[in-house]
Amino acid sequence: MSTRRFLAACLPGFPALPWFCYPHSCEDKTEIKPYGYFRKEWMHVTPQLSKVAEALEKNNINCIVVSDAKEAKEKALTLIDKNDTIGLGGSVSIDQIGILPYLRENGYRLLDRYDSSLGREEVMAILKQSATADIFMCSTNALTEQGELVNKDGMGSRMGPVIFGPHKVIVFCGRNKIVRD
């Protein structure tokens, strides 16, 4: 049985295969020291992030900790090939860190559920296609210190692809979304 691997990036604020956790506000001007990308290199980040990262690893979720939204975007883009089909879950975070506009403007094969020119039936078709995209990107509503994703999903268009379908899933999570249980 193969285990699905997720990659998480924890910035002081956002947390698929790739998973990113970063500071909760893209406007946050707090000085943050750069973090390494492998667990042993960033255990000093904060006790809470260290605990969450270890819990994610124990749950077979790879975790990347990054220092800000810009770095989260840059690392995520290294995981995407221009020929990959990219599906999106409902997420303000993806737009806030600048990935969505970048993908639109640079010729990626984006299944853009947010395209305002689409009708309801076309959006529904995109949501179905996203479930089997090469890459699926979304955020999470919350991440427990035990390394568990907590999501509320009205139609299942986000959680379905996170659980099964795409080759890679990238989940973004801000530090503000980390909870005890």
Side-chain angles (χ1 to χ4, degrees):
M1 179 173 139
S2 70
T3 302
R4 220 165 143 145
R5 300 290 291 179
F6 291 84
L7 173 62
C10 288
L11 308 178
F14 281 100
L17 262 168
W19 169 283
F20 291 93
C21 181
Y22 57 93
H24 72 279
S25 171
C26 296
E27 313 308 320
D28 188 351
K29 302 299 182 198
T30 306
E31 186 175 326
I32 301 164
K33 294 182 181 179
Y35 307 120
Y37 291 106
F38 300 101
R39 190 163 38 99
K40 289 183 171 68
E41 294 176 38
W42 53 263
M43 293 305 283
H44 68 282
V45 172
T46 68
Q48 184 187 40
L49 285 179
S50 297
K51 181 178 180 177
V52 170
E54 280 206 20
L56 287 166
E57 295 283 339
K58 285 179 184 173
N59 292 340
N60 294 315
I61 299 173
N62 295 327
C63 180
I64 293 178
V65 175
V66 295
S67 61
D68 57 22
K70 180 182 177 195
E71 190 177 2
K73 172 185 157 187
E74 290 168 359
K75 289 307 284 182
L77 290 171
T78 66
L79 302 166
I80 301 170
D81 184 278
K82 256 197 164 167
N83 294 319
D84 290 334
T85 302
I86 305 162
L88 302 170
S91 173
V92 173
S93 301
I94 291 171
D95 189 42
Q96 286 179 335
I97 65 173
I99 289 180
L100 184 55
Y102 183 89
L103 296 172
R104 284 177 175 151
E105 295 164 9
N106 289 282
Y108 284 81
R109 296 177 56 205
L110 180 63
L111 298 169
D112 193 351
R113 65 184 283 163
Y114 299 112
D115 182 340
S116 61
S117 70
L118 301 176
R120 177 170 168 66
E121 299 220 358
E122 293 166 305
V123 170
M124 293 305 290
I126 284 176
L127 295 178
K128 289 176 185 176
Q129 292 170 354
S130 294
T132 58
D134 297 313
I135 295 177
F136 185 76
M137 294 192 305
C138 64
S139 59
T140 189
N141 295 110
L143 170 63
T144 70
E145 289 181 347
Q146 293 75 34
E148 300 167 336
L149 299 172
V150 178
N151 289 290
K152 181 178 181 180
D153 192 349
M155 296 187 333
S157 62
R158 174 175 40 163
M159 292 316 303
V162 167
I163 296 166
F164 177 82
H167 298 291
K168 293 181 186 176
V169 177
I170 301 172
V171 178
F172 296 90
C173 178
R175 186 184 304 189
N176 63 310
K177 295 182 178 183
I178 299 174
V179 298
R180 284 212 169 133
D181 57 23

